[in-house]
């Protein structure tokens, strides 16, 4: 259903999610390649495409023709990313070899033109990511999705500004690290599922 979704494994364990954007490139988060700000060894990582359960070796053998596993050739982290802030948290990953396309593996569509972030306001988007299935006995990895609606930047800035102005707020430290300039960075949008708290990235 979402054939562009890829998983990044670190030493065989689920580590991050991303999107296939071409035969050779994947887009993911910059923080996936850092541990407390120190660069992780990408030689211990693998990109898995076409799998709904990328850490399940038995499933991978059964569905071998649908799944491709690739090593990482190179990683370019956005030059304006500063760990652990959320702004510009992007990495472009080049794989060794290339993906072959079929129904289970297909690149995501990218917009042909850029648009100011407030043009996304009130539009719904689908958030995809791999995570542990805690209801399963072996807790394999599953692809989850969440419908989110982008909120106006001013509303996000006001909400998180209250937290950043209150050092005694339980979320102050976490928010200060993730949003040191609140939503003053143009790379940030925030979205909300109705009835839930705002989320950034």
């Amino acid at each position: 259903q979402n054939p562009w979704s890829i998983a990044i494994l670190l030493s065989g364990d689920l580590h991050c999610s991303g999107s296939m954007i071409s035969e050779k490139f994947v887009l993911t988060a910059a923080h996936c390649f850092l541990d407390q700000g120190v660069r992780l060894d990408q030689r211990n990582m693998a990109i898995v495409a076409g799998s709904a359960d990328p850490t399940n070796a038995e499933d991978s053998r059964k569905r071998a023709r649908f799944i491709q596993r690739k090593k990482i050739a190179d990683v370019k982290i956005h030059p304006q990313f500063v760990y652990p802030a959320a702004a510009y948290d992007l990495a472009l990953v080049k794989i060794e070899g290339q993906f072959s396309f079929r129904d289970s593996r297909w690149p995501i569509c990218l917009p042909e033109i850029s648009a100011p972030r407030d043009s996304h306001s009130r539009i719904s988007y689908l958030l995809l990511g791999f995570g542990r299935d805690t209801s399963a006995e072996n807790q394999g990895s599953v692809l989850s999705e969440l419908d989110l609606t982008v909120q106006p930047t001013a509303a996000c800035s006001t909400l998180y500004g209250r937290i950043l102005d209150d050092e005694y707020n339980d979320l102050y430290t976490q928010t200060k690290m993730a949003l040191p300039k609140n939503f003053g960075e143009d790379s940030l949008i925030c979205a909300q599922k109705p009835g839930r708290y705002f989320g950034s990235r």
Side-chain angles (χ1 to χ4, degrees):
Q1 190 174 358
N2 302 291
W4 48 82
S5 295
I6 60 92
I8 301 175
L9 306 186
L10 175 61
S11 300
D13 293 327
L14 184 63
H15 180 61
C16 270
S17 304
S19 296
M20 182 192 304
I21 58 173
S22 75
E23 294 97 332
K24 293 192 69 69
F25 288 95
V26 164
L27 187 65
T28 186
H31 73 257
C32 295
F33 300 93
L34 300 167
D35 182 13
Q36 303 299 317
V38 178
R39 193 73 178 252
L40 292 168
D41 189 348
Q42 66 194 42
R43 292 174 297 181
N44 296 328
M45 297 182 180
I47 307 286
V48 180
S51 176
D53 189 355
T55 60
N56 187 332
E58 183 178 335
D59 184 63
S60 294
R61 282 192 293 273
K62 288 179 184 177
R63 304 184 64 234
R65 67 184 185 277
F66 300 105
I67 299 168
Q68 285 189 313
R69 184 184 178 106
K70 300 291 185 181
K71 292 183 178 180
I72 294 174
D74 192 27
V75 177
K76 298 292 186 193
I77 290 177
H78 196 290
Q80 290 178 266
F81 174 66
V82 179
Y83 181 88
Y88 304 102
D89 188 2
L90 296 167
L92 187 63
V93 180
K94 184 180 182 180
I95 64 166
E96 292 185 4
Q98 64 181 42
F99 295 116
S100 59
F101 297 153
R102 58 179 302 153
D103 288 347
S104 61
R105 298 185 304 270
W106 196 259
I108 194 167
C109 295
L110 296 175
E112 294 182 0
I113 58 170
S114 62
R117 64 176 168 171
D118 279 336
S119 67
H120 299 277
S121 181
R122 303 298 180 195
I123 297 176
S124 293
Y125 290 104
L126 187 66
L127 176 68
L128 294 169
F130 284 96
R132 294 289 176 198
D133 182 4
T134 55
S135 64
E137 189 174 329
N138 63 359
Q139 294 193 4
S141 52
V142 294
L143 184 62
S144 300
E145 58 183 59
L146 187 65
D147 286 307
L148 296 173
T149 302
V150 177
Q151 302 299 313
T153 302
C156 302
S157 297
T158 299
L159 179 68
Y160 284 96
R162 291 191 199 110
I163 297 171
L164 291 167
D165 288 340
D166 180 6
E167 293 184 21
Y168 298 102
N169 189 298
D170 291 342
L171 298 173
Y172 173 80
T173 301
Q174 181 183 353
T175 305
K176 185 69 175 174
M177 289 193 301
L179 301 170
K181 298 180 182 178
N182 200 333
F183 277 86
E185 301 280 7
D186 192 52
S187 74
L188 295 173
I189 60 173
C190 74
Q192 178 187 33
K193 186 170 178 66
R196 297 194 183 183
Y197 204 70
F198 281 122
S200 68
R201 283 277 178 205

